[in-house]
Amino acid sequence: MAGKYQHIANDLAHRINHGEFNVGDMLPSENQLATHYKVSRETARKALAKLTDEGRIQKMMGKGSIVIKPARYTLPVSHLVSYTEFLKDNGIDSENHVFALEDAPLPAMPFQDIDPSLTPGQKCTYVGRVRIINKLPSIVDHDFILKSVVPDISHATAQASLYNYFEDDLGLTIAYSPKQITVEPANAQDQELLGLCEGSYVAVTTSIAHLADTTAFQFSQSRHRADKFKYQDFARRK
């Protein structure tokens, strides 16, 4: 049953993302969805409830479900996906602005908060990017990639997708990435690149990506506009 309502929710989300249903449009009723997807009305109701929880639709008493504009984007936290994969899955308009691409030593902080045993000073390529989502500068990404694993990164690669380059071109197998989430005052660079006022805050995700052989090779910090960041996870009691 769960698989059926998840499939329906995913299909409706895809149709919303690709303009079949626009902001302000009413989705088909539970009965219409049940008939179209050949499921029970309860399954259709669960699919709509999932879209409601995700902030894609709003149920209106006596009228049905209307498509709304999500105020925030939901980046996966407990799953390891690339930014490019996230955009593709969610149909979001985005572009990258590379503001730095240079050799740099691996800094101790903030990464020693995640792995106290790491060795700072290792040779890295530093990639600094601004993620512009729906024409709004929304995320500042700082990536330090070990040169011992990835010797060179071109501007075109930094502009496009690092993960595609790592996996498709270099054949690396990325396995896992511990993450830490904090909320911090926006620094001067955040304010400049994201257009924030003094006194604003950013949501900060810090992570260390590891290969299948447990080699830590990518050290990342993403600094998000707090008004556009949404943390979402799933927890099950043991």
Side-chain angles (χ1 to χ4, degrees):
M1 185 66 69
K4 290 182 179 179
Y5 84 75
Q6 179 71 60
H7 168 74
I8 296 169
N10 289 346
D11 187 58
L12 289 172
H14 177 83
R15 294 164 71 181
I16 291 171
N17 291 338
H18 289 80
E20 186 173 342
F21 299 110
N22 295 309
V23 173
D25 288 346
M26 302 298 295
L27 290 185
S29 67
E30 292 176 3
N31 286 333
Q32 290 171 324
L33 291 174
T35 300
H36 177 77
Y37 291 102
K38 297 180 174 59
V39 297
S40 69
R41 184 175 174 180
E42 178 62 23
T43 299
R45 182 180 296 119
K46 287 184 177 181
L48 292 175
K50 178 170 177 56
L51 293 177
T52 301
D53 290 341
E54 292 175 351
R56 293 180 177 273
I57 64 173
Q58 176 65 44
K59 299 193 75 172
M60 302 181 68
M61 187 67 66
K63 293 185 178 181
S65 301
I66 186 171
V67 178
I68 61 175
K69 184 177 181 179
R72 301 183 179 192
Y73 52 86
T74 302
L75 287 169
V77 175
S78 57
H79 300 288
L80 182 54
V81 301
S82 72
Y83 180 76
T84 302
E85 292 167 335
F86 159 73
L87 295 176
K88 182 179 179 181
D89 290 344
N90 290 273
I92 294 175
D93 177 41
S94 174
E95 59 182 290
N96 295 332
H97 167 60
V98 180
F99 64 84
L101 180 62
E102 59 195 27
D103 293 346
L106 175 64
M109 299 303 292
F111 305 110
Q112 280 188 335
D113 283 347
I114 296 178
D115 181 4
S117 68
L118 74 79
T119 304
Q122 299 177 74
K123 293 181 179 179
C124 294
T125 300
Y126 166 63
V127 182
R129 294 176 291 184
V130 178
R131 310 290 198 171
I132 303 171
I133 301 176
N134 294 329
K135 304 189 184 306
L136 178 70
S138 300
I139 310 170
V140 180
D141 274 349
H142 303 280
D143 289 289
F144 294 84
I145 299 98
L146 290 189
K147 283 186 168 292
S148 58
V149 178
V150 182
D152 185 58
I153 297 174
S154 69
H155 187 277
T157 295
Q159 188 76 33
S161 170
L162 290 178
Y163 267 39
N164 284 351
Y165 177 60
F166 297 156
E167 295 178 321
D168 298 341
D169 295 350
L170 301 183
L172 300 177
T173 301
I174 303 171
Y176 63 94
S177 177
K179 294 184 180 182
Q180 173 180 278
I181 303 175
T182 58
V183 176
E184 304 174 8
N187 59 34
Q189 186 182 56
D190 297 331
Q191 294 172 32
E192 177 185 357
L193 295 178
L194 299 179
L196 299 176
C197 298
E198 187 175 354
S200 297
Y201 281 77
V202 291
V204 181
T205 61
T206 305
S207 61
I208 303 176
H210 293 69
L211 301 176
D213 65 1
T214 75
T215 299
F217 82 104
Q218 182 185 18
F219 302 79
S220 305
Q221 185 179 84
S222 296
R223 303 178 67 84
H224 306 250
R225 292 180 61 107
D227 61 341
K228 293 295 179 181
F229 178 83
K230 178 181 177 182
Y231 167 83
Q232 183 169 304
D233 202 355
F234 177 82
R236 185 186 299 278
R237 183 174 172 82
K238 293 182 179 180

